[in-house]
Amino acid sequence: MLKYIPYILLFALATMIIYAWGLWRSVRQNQDLSNLLAAKGVSKVKKALRKKSGLTLKELEPFVKDLTAKQPFSRQQIAVTDPKEFLNSILPYMVRQKMITENKEGNRTVYRLK
């Protein structure tokens, strides 16, 4: 009987580790999905700006309109519901990271790749 105790303890330890990892992953899932969606949005904006030299906020909206993101082995996903609000959140980040430049041309703001 005593020879089975280490196996029972190892099984309990493995169960605790798997449970803790699942709990940690579920707590961070919303933030991870947001980060994944933002990364996809940045990629789409850069690709659009490579094709056309300068675009306004209104011209960038169709490129991120139906963008979605989901993690592997998960049913939950996140999608862009308001392209203007989504662009208002990622464009300042892209300007701060010096990926794009923001230029005022008359009464409109044009974004260009650096």
Side-chain angles (χ1 to χ4, degrees):
M1 183 71 173
L2 287 175
K3 66 180 183 179
Y4 295 115
I5 291 179
Y7 296 112
I8 293 170
L9 292 175
L10 283 174
F11 181 76
L13 180 66
T15 303
M16 285 180 3
I17 290 171
I18 291 170
Y19 179 77
W21 176 73
L23 187 62
W24 177 78
R25 187 173 173 216
S26 68
V27 167
R28 289 190 39 119
Q29 188 172 25
N30 288 338
Q31 183 63 40
D32 290 341
L33 285 172
S34 295
N35 291 344
L36 189 59
L37 186 64
K40 279 187 166 185
V42 166
S43 176
K44 287 279 190 179
V45 168
K46 286 170 76 174
K47 187 176 179 181
L49 290 173
R50 260 187 236 117
K51 289 183 180 179
K52 296 180 182 176
S53 64
L55 295 172
T56 63
L57 181 72
K58 192 77 168 164
E59 294 168 336
L60 284 170
E61 285 181 17
F63 294 102
V64 297
K65 184 179 177 198
D66 294 321
L67 201 59
T68 62
K70 70 178 239 170
Q71 290 179 319
F73 310 113
S74 175
R75 291 183 190 181
Q76 286 196 350
Q77 69 176 10
I78 190 169
V80 174
T81 54
D82 185 6
K84 186 175 183 178
E85 184 179 327
F86 179 69
L87 284 170
N88 284 333
S89 69
I90 64 168
L91 288 176
Y93 166 78
M94 292 177 74
V95 171
R96 279 193 314 272
Q97 294 296 317
K98 297 185 171 66
M99 295 179 202
I100 61 174
T101 59
E102 183 179 42
N103 302 322
K104 298 276 186 195
E105 293 180 0
N107 60 351
R108 61 186 213 152
T109 304
V110 178
Y111 297 94
R112 290 190 171 85
L113 277 177
K114 264 205 161 175

